[in-house]
Structures are given as C-alpha cells and as structure tokens.
C-alpha cells in the first residue's frame, strides 16, 4: 500500500494489479474515523492523447462539499458543483459535484501522468479512485528459445521477450507478440501456434532450417515495439544417410598396403564419429577416417563406424568387413616333408604336398628336371635315375599383385649296381708265374657310388674296385676272382657281381721220374718208366735214350707219360731222359739210370 497525503489515512494501490481490473469497495480506518473508498475502472490511453476521468463518491456526501482531486498525493484540481480550480493548467472539469459526477479531461497525456487519481471530500470521509494507464511500445524484444535446440521432428518453443514501458509499472497489461517468418506474418495453424509472447513450431522439418524469425511485442496493437533481431532457425538433425567409402559391405585390402575407409553422415551440428573393431569393443579412432597404414592378415575383421549427435541424442552405426589379401610370404611355403633332401630308390613314386598361407587360395605348380611341370599342391611322379634334382613348388597369389614364393626339395635317386657291373673291355685271364699281373678294375653304374669287394674262390680277397695281384709268386694265385659291387644305401641284398678266371702259367717241372719195379731188372724182364710233370699250360713230354739220342716217345698236352720195355736186354741198360716243354720257359729234363742184369 502507498500512503496518501490525507491526514492519518491510507488508500489502495496494491489491489489494482490484476489483469481484469476487478475493484472492491474497502473501508479503511483512519485513526478513529471510517473512510469509504469507491474505485472506478482504470483509464488506458497513449502519450499525446487526452484522458477522460469519470469518478463517483459512494455514497455521495449529503452536504455539498469541495472535492479535491490529487495524483499520488499532489493536488491537481479542486471542484465544487461545476466550478473548478486547475492547479496544473492541463485539466478541464466536465462534471458536477452536486450530481456526483467527478468528470474531467487530461489533455496531451505524458508518461509521467500515469498513476492513481483520487477524489475526496474535505473531511476525507468519501473518496473515489481511478487509475490512469499510459500505454507505450515495449522495448525491442529478444527471441529466446524456451526448449533449447531446434531438433528435427520435435516442437520448437520460443519467447518474444520484451520489457514493458507502460506506466504505472503495476499496470497489469498483458504482453502480446506478433511473429514473422521470412518476412511473412505468422498466423496460428497446424505448423505455427502463437500464444501470448510464445511461438510454437510443431514438428520441425528440414525445410524449417535457415528460416528467419522476427517478432514485435505489444500491450496494445497501437503501440508495438520495434522488430527484434532476426533469429535464424538452426534445425538440429541426424545422423542421417550414414555412408562408408568404399561403400562395399566387404572391402578387400592388400597386405602391406594402406586401407582408408571414410565414414560420412548428414548431421547438424557436425556429428562425432567412433570406429570399433570386432564384436568385442576395441575402439580405434574418434575420427571420420579410419586409416590402417599397412594391413596384414590379422587386420581381417569387422569394422563399425558409429555416428552420434549429442544434440539430437541419436546415433547410427554402419559396419563393413575388411578382408586382407595376403600371402604367400617368402620362406613360408611349406612342404609335407621336413627334409629338404629326399633320398629315394630308382623308379620310386614321389609324393610331396606343398602349402602356403594365402587369401584367396594360392595356385601352385611344381617344376623339376627335364622340363618337368605339374600343377597343383601335390607332387606325384615316378622318379628314376635320370629325374633326380631340385623340384620346386611355386605358390602364386594373382590377387596379391601376382605375388609368389617358392619351396624346393632336392630329390636324390639311389640306384645300381644292377646288371651294370663290368671289368672293362679286356680283363686279363692269364699271368705267367713270377710276372706282374695287370690290375683289374671293377665298375658299376651306381648312385651313390658303389662299394666293391673282391673274392678269390669265395674267400674275400680285398676291398675296393681294383684287384691288384702284383707279382705272381704262387701257382695257387690263379683261379676264380669275383668282384661284388654293392650300394650300401640300398643294402647288401641288392649287390651284383662279375667273375674272371685267372690262369697262372709256369714252366714245366719234373715232379717225379721212376721205374715202376725198380731201376734194375733181370734180362728179359719188363720195365715201365714213369715221368710226372707239373706244368701250365700242359707240356709236350719227350722220352729219349741218351747214349743213342733216340726219341722213344713224344706226347703233348699231358702231365704224365710212361714208356714200357717188354723184354729187357743188355743193350737196354743206360740213361733215359724225360723232357717237358710248354713254351713258358726252357724245358725241364729228368734222367734215370736203367740197369739190366745180364
């Protein structure tokens, strides 16, 4: 309440602050007296206009009194009947106090004229009150979002915020607003709703983005504010249209080369991006671009780009699968055998498998000696002695820039001796006693080279390919010599042999020379002379009687010879000689004396 200028009295101001301007007659107590106050509806006007007041005192005093009119305790006019005294010289009294019409006109209203006007009798027992409200344009408004950001699909609430300049401050006028979009006046409809100072745009669309809003505020349509600054609607949306580049759901990468995947989305404001690898969260980069500098086999996986908009509260994910093309790696081509040297027998089936870690699956080809070529991972072929050597498996990945790698195995074919054992073109078959025998060399076609053993009449004589008999000192050195060739890697049961019979030639030697029944016989008795010769080759044996040098008998190719005297006579006595000759050396002679008892 505001204190009045009247003696020990009060009047109402606070009870006028409602928009409907409902007034009550209140009884105020001033010391020990009662004052009756009649409140009349307010007057609303504009600066420069005239204001017409019309008050009544209720009840009107029974006696004629001077009526005093004051504003906020300041005297402005006194009236009685139809007569008035205008203190401010701006008022024109048009009423009649006798008729209880307290009417007057305030000309050329200013903002300072707004306030509470009170009419009262001289005893302050009766009063009439009327408020003057001077309406002026509100301050330049500001457009203030009520609901925060403008999100696609949601309602957008804004307030045309302005400060009232009308007076008095507690005038109770309602602030209203008028809105424009892109300089077009907005009327309430499906998309736009205006209520008081608020504007609601229902279910924002992309088309609303960038729209320019402005508003004016007013408490009376005749006193509108200047337009607000433009408010551009920034519709927040997304993520929409999330895409990956490359766009394929499966991206092929080549090992040791970079892979770049770009993630894009239509967002406002700019979305955040997060890359995730695999089904178990393994966060990579919060970046639109996923770059793996040099991919390898282990990088094959699912990659997910998650796009998020913190303003709209939405997120969207898109997944792609990176498949790395790799292999074969150098030195990583594997063979089913761990031994790089394979030793096999002649005419053996060779089975070796080649493999390599590749994606896509590598192609394979085997190459080898004598222009050998066989496609596929499996080497299967019969190798003989002419097909030993290096067999190479080449694994190739045409998708990996035609990359290839190799693995090889050295195949060693063991063979021999078989029927290849020989003693040369003309091995010696005879040697003279006391002469040096030529060496005999045994050979065979073998791999690895064969070992050799020589046997003399089934008794081992020497090891090695060469038989060296040296100077023959024994007649027994002759006989059967056998060369056994064997491949110790294939076993002795795979040996082969060849033999040569060496004959030892030596000159004849008279082994025995005798007369069968003694060297002396009676006349007319018979006698048998025997001669035994050791000789090789067989000699020619000749019998002679020395005193007459008569050849009695000659035999060739024998080692034993005899002559017979049927009836010994005295002239038969004498020396008899057995001679043997075989061409090796001088002949051998043996002489016996034969006596005849005459």
């Amino acid at each position: 309440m505001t204190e009045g200028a009247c003696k020990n009295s009060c009047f109402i101001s606070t009870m006028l602050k409602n928009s409907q301007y409902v007034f009550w007659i209140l009884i105020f107590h001033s010391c020990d007296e009662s004052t009756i106050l009649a409140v009349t509806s307010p007057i609303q006007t504009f600066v420069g206009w005239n204001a017409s007041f019309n008050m009544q005192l209720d009840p009107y005093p029974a006696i004629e009194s001077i009526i005093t009119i004051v504003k906020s305790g300041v005297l402005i006019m006194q009236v009685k009947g139809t007569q008035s005294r205008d203190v401010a010289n701006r008022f024109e009294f048009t009423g009649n106090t006798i008729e209880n019409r307290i009417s007057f006109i305030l000309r050329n209203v200013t903002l300072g004229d707004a306030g509470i006007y009170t009419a009262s009798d001289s005893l302050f027992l009766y009063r009439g009150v009327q408020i003057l409200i001077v309406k002026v344009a509100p301050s330049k408004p500001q457009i203030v979002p009520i609901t925060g950001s403008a999100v696609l699909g949601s309602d957008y609430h804004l307030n045309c915020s302005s400060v009232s300049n009308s007076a008095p401050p507690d005038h109770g006028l309602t602030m209203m607003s008028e809105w424009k979009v892109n300089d077009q006046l907005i009327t309430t409809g499906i998309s736009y709703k205006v209520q008081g100072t608020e504007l609601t745009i229902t279910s924002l669309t992309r088309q609303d983005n960038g729209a320019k809003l402005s508003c004016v505020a007013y408490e009376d349509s005749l006193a509108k504010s200047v337009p607000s600054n433009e408010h551009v609607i920034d519709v927040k949306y997304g993520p929409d249209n999330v895409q990956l580049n490359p766009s394929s759901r499966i991206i092929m990468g080549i090992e040791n080369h970079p892979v770049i995947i770009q993630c894009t989305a239509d967002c406002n404001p700019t979305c955040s991006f997060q890359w995730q690898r695999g089904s178990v969260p393994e966060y990579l980069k919060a970046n639109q671009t996923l770059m793996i500098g040099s991919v390898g086999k282990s990088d094959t996986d699912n990659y997910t780009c998650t796009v998020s908009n913190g303003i709209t509260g939405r997120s969207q994910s898109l997944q792609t699968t990176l498949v790395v093309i790799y292999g074969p790696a150098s030195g990583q081509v594997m063979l089913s055998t761990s031994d790089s040297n394979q030793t096999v027998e002649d005419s053996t089936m060779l089975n070796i498998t080649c493999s390599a870690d590749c994606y896509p699956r590598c192609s394979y080809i085997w190459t080898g000696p004598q222009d050998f070529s066989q496609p596929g991972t499996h080497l299967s072929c019969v190798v003989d002695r002419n097909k030993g050597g290096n067999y190479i498996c080449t694994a190739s990945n045409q998708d990996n820039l035609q990359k290839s790698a190799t693995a090889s195995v050295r195949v060693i074919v063991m063979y021999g001796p078989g029927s290849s054992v020989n003693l040369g073109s003309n091995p010696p078959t005879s040697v003279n006693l006391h002469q040096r025998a030529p060496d005999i060399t045994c050979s065979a076609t073998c791999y690895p080279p064969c070992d050799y053993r020589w046997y003399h009449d089934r008794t081992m004589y020497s090891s090695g390919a060469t038989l060296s008999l040296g100077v023959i000192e024994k007649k027994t050195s002759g006989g059967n010599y056998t060369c056994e060739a064997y491949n110790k890697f294939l076993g002795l049961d795979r040996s082969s042999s060849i033999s040569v019979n060496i004959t030892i030639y030596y000159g004849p030697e008279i082994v025995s020379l005798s007369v069968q029944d003694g060297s002396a016989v009676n006349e007319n008795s018979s006698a048998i002379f025997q001669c035994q010769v050791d000789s090789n080759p067989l000699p020619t044996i000749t019998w002679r009687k020395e005193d007459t040098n008569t050849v009695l008998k000659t035999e060739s190719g024998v080692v034993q010879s005899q002559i017979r005297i049927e009836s010994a006579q005295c002239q038969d006595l004498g020396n008899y000689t057995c001679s043997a000759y075989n061409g090796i050396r001088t002949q051998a002679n043996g002489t016996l004396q034969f006596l005849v008892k005459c």
Side-chain angles (χ1 to χ4, degrees):
M1 293 185 184
T2 304
E3 290 189 2
C6 302
K7 175 186 174 184
N8 299 322
S9 65
C10 300
F11 55 87
I12 293 176
S13 64
T14 57
M15 297 307 293
L16 303 178
K17 294 180 181 178
N18 62 81
S19 62
Q20 301 301 319
Y21 291 97
V22 177
F23 300 91
W24 299 268
I25 296 176
L26 303 178
I27 298 176
F28 286 77
H29 294 276
S30 175
C31 300
D32 55 356
E33 297 183 284
S34 295
T35 299
I36 300 175
L37 178 65
V39 181
T40 308
S41 297
I43 302 169
Q44 298 184 22
T45 189
F46 302 94
V47 173
W49 288 29
N50 296 335
S52 296
F53 291 80
N54 188 12
M55 295 184 285
Q56 289 183 337
L57 276 65
D58 188 16
Y60 188 74
I63 60 173
E64 184 176 347
S65 300
I66 296 175
I67 304 301
T68 301
I69 299 172
V70 296
K71 174 186 177 287
S72 301
V74 177
L75 177 66
I76 59 173
M77 186 170 52
Q78 287 182 325
V79 296
K80 182 176 180 181
T82 60
Q83 300 299 313
S84 66
R85 185 172 69 88
D86 180 5
V87 178
N89 296 320
R90 293 176 53 219
F91 294 87
E92 178 185 352
F93 184 72
T94 59
N96 189 337
T97 60
I98 299 174
E99 298 175 356
N100 195 15
R101 287 190 297 110
I102 313 300
S103 302
F104 55 92
I105 298 173
L106 173 61
R107 301 188 183 279
N108 195 20
V109 172
T110 66
L111 189 62
D113 293 329
I116 300 172
Y117 289 77
T118 305
S120 61
D121 67 324
S122 57
L123 298 176
F124 298 100
L125 298 176
Y126 305 94
R127 282 184 187 171
V129 175
Q130 195 164 26
I131 294 177
L132 175 61
I133 299 174
V134 181
K135 296 184 286 188
V136 296
S139 65
K140 181 178 180 179
Q142 290 183 336
I143 297 178
V144 179
I146 299 174
T147 54
S149 298
V151 178
L152 183 69
S154 64
D155 293 348
Y156 190 36
H157 302 279
L158 304 106
N159 184 42
C160 186
S161 178
S162 177
V163 177
S164 175
N165 292 321
S166 297
D170 51 357
H171 52 69
L173 298 176
T174 300
M175 187 75 74
M176 304 296 287
S177 63
E178 183 180 272
W179 294 79
K180 287 185 179 181
V181 57
N182 297 328
D183 291 329
Q184 298 295 317
L185 185 64
I186 292 176
T187 58
T188 296
I190 297 176
S191 299
Y192 299 95
K193 294 180 181 178
V194 178
Q195 185 173 5
T197 58
E198 292 185 10
L199 170 67
T200 299
I201 305 174
T202 60
S203 190
L204 285 170
T205 67
R206 291 284 187 95
Q207 287 69 33
D208 293 319
N209 190 46
K212 298 176 181 179
L213 296 173
S214 64
C215 73
V216 294
Y218 63 91
E219 294 158 327
D220 190 295
S221 61
L222 297 179
K224 295 180 180 179
S225 70
V226 297
S228 68
N229 292 335
E230 285 186 339
H231 175 85
V232 179
I233 301 177
D234 185 13
V235 178
K236 311 299 183 182
Y237 56 84
D240 298 320
N241 194 28
V242 178
Q243 294 183 346
L244 298 180
N245 184 21
S247 59
S248 174
R249 298 306 294 256
I250 298 178
I251 298 173
M252 307 304 292
I254 298 178
E255 66 173 341
N256 300 324
H257 287 72
V259 166
I260 300 174
I261 308 174
Q262 191 84 16
C263 185
T264 59
D266 190 7
C267 300
N268 185 32
T270 302
C271 281
S272 62
F273 296 81
Q274 177 68 62
W275 282 95
Q276 176 182 339
R277 174 180 176 174
S279 57
V280 178
E282 179 185 346
Y283 295 104
L284 302 176
K285 291 185 176 180
N287 200 311
Q288 273 190 269
T289 303
L290 174 65
M291 179 173 181
I292 305 175
S294 180
V295 297
K297 171 186 175 182
S298 61
D299 292 312
T300 295
D301 210 332
N302 294 325
Y303 291 83
T304 303
C305 174
T306 300
V307 187
S308 302
N309 189 330
I311 300 298
T312 65
R314 291 178 55 209
S315 64
Q316 189 173 344
S317 297
L318 195 59
Q319 185 181 89
T320 187
T321 299
L322 172 61
V323 177
V324 178
I325 297 172
Y326 63 88
S330 177
Q332 297 299 312
V333 179
M334 308 303 293
L335 301 179
S336 57
T337 174
S338 59
D339 192 351
S340 60
N341 292 316
Q342 288 288 300
T343 302
V344 299
E345 295 185 30
D346 194 12
S347 301
T348 296
M349 176 65 76
L350 193 64
N351 288 293
I352 301 175
T353 300
C354 174
S355 63
D357 190 11
C358 308
Y359 186 86
R361 189 174 184 271
C362 275
S363 61
Y364 300 85
I365 187 169
W366 283 91
T367 55
Q370 298 184 348
D371 297 326
F372 174 82
S373 179
Q374 186 181 86
T377 60
H378 191 64
L379 171 64
S380 179
C381 65
V382 176
V383 291
D384 57 27
R385 65 188 63 184
N386 298 317
K387 294 181 180 178
N390 286 327
Y391 285 80
I392 301 171
C393 172
T394 301
S396 301
N397 190 339
Q398 298 301 315
D399 292 311
N400 192 6
L401 306 177
Q402 298 185 346
K403 186 176 181 180
S404 63
T406 62
S408 64
V409 59
R410 180 170 176 260
V411 178
I412 302 169
V413 182
M414 298 187 300
Y415 55 86
S419 60
S420 66
V421 183
N422 69 86
L423 299 176
S425 59
N426 190 22
T429 57
S430 63
V431 181
N432 291 342
L433 190 65
H434 305 303
Q435 291 185 351
R436 177 173 291 279
D439 290 343
I440 302 175
T441 299
C442 182
S443 65
T445 304
C446 304
Y447 189 86
C450 275
D451 291 323
Y452 300 90
R453 289 188 291 204
W454 282 95
Y455 293 88
H456 182 207
D457 294 332
R458 298 187 179 180
T459 300
M460 184 174 172
Y461 182 80
S462 65
S463 297
T466 301
L467 174 65
S468 296
L469 296 177
V471 176
I472 303 300
E473 299 293 350
K474 296 180 180 179
K475 300 174 184 180
T476 56
S477 296
N480 188 61
Y481 285 86
T482 300
C483 172
E484 180 186 52
Y486 62 95
N487 190 331
K488 63 182 178 182
F489 293 95
L490 297 176
L492 295 177
D493 57 337
R494 304 284 288 276
S495 64
S496 296
S497 61
I498 188 171
S499 298
V500 61
N501 192 63
I502 298 177
T503 302
I504 305 300
Y505 290 122
Y506 50 88
E509 179 182 347
I510 305 299
V511 176
S512 66
L513 182 59
S514 64
V515 180
Q516 183 174 353
D517 292 328
S519 57
V521 298
N522 295 322
E523 189 177 15
N524 296 322
S525 296
S526 61
I528 298 174
F529 297 172
Q530 293 180 334
C531 182
Q532 183 74 32
V533 178
D534 182 14
S535 173
N536 191 21
L538 295 176
T540 297
I541 298 176
T542 302
W543 288 92
R544 288 186 175 86
K545 189 171 185 300
E546 285 190 357
D547 55 353
T548 61
N549 197 26
T550 301
V551 176
L552 302 177
K553 187 179 182 180
T554 298
E555 287 185 289
S556 297
V558 296
V559 293
Q560 184 175 331
S561 179
Q562 65 181 18
I563 58 174
R564 181 182 181 88
I565 299 177
E566 294 294 341
S567 178
Q569 301 299 315
C570 290
Q571 64 270 21
D572 291 328
L573 64 82
N575 292 329
Y576 289 82
T577 300
C578 174
S579 299
Y581 180 71
N582 63 3
I584 298 302
R585 61 178 186 179
T586 58
Q587 68 180 17
N589 298 312
T591 301
L592 62 80
Q593 185 179 31
F594 180 62
L595 298 177
V596 179
K597 298 176 182 179
C598 299

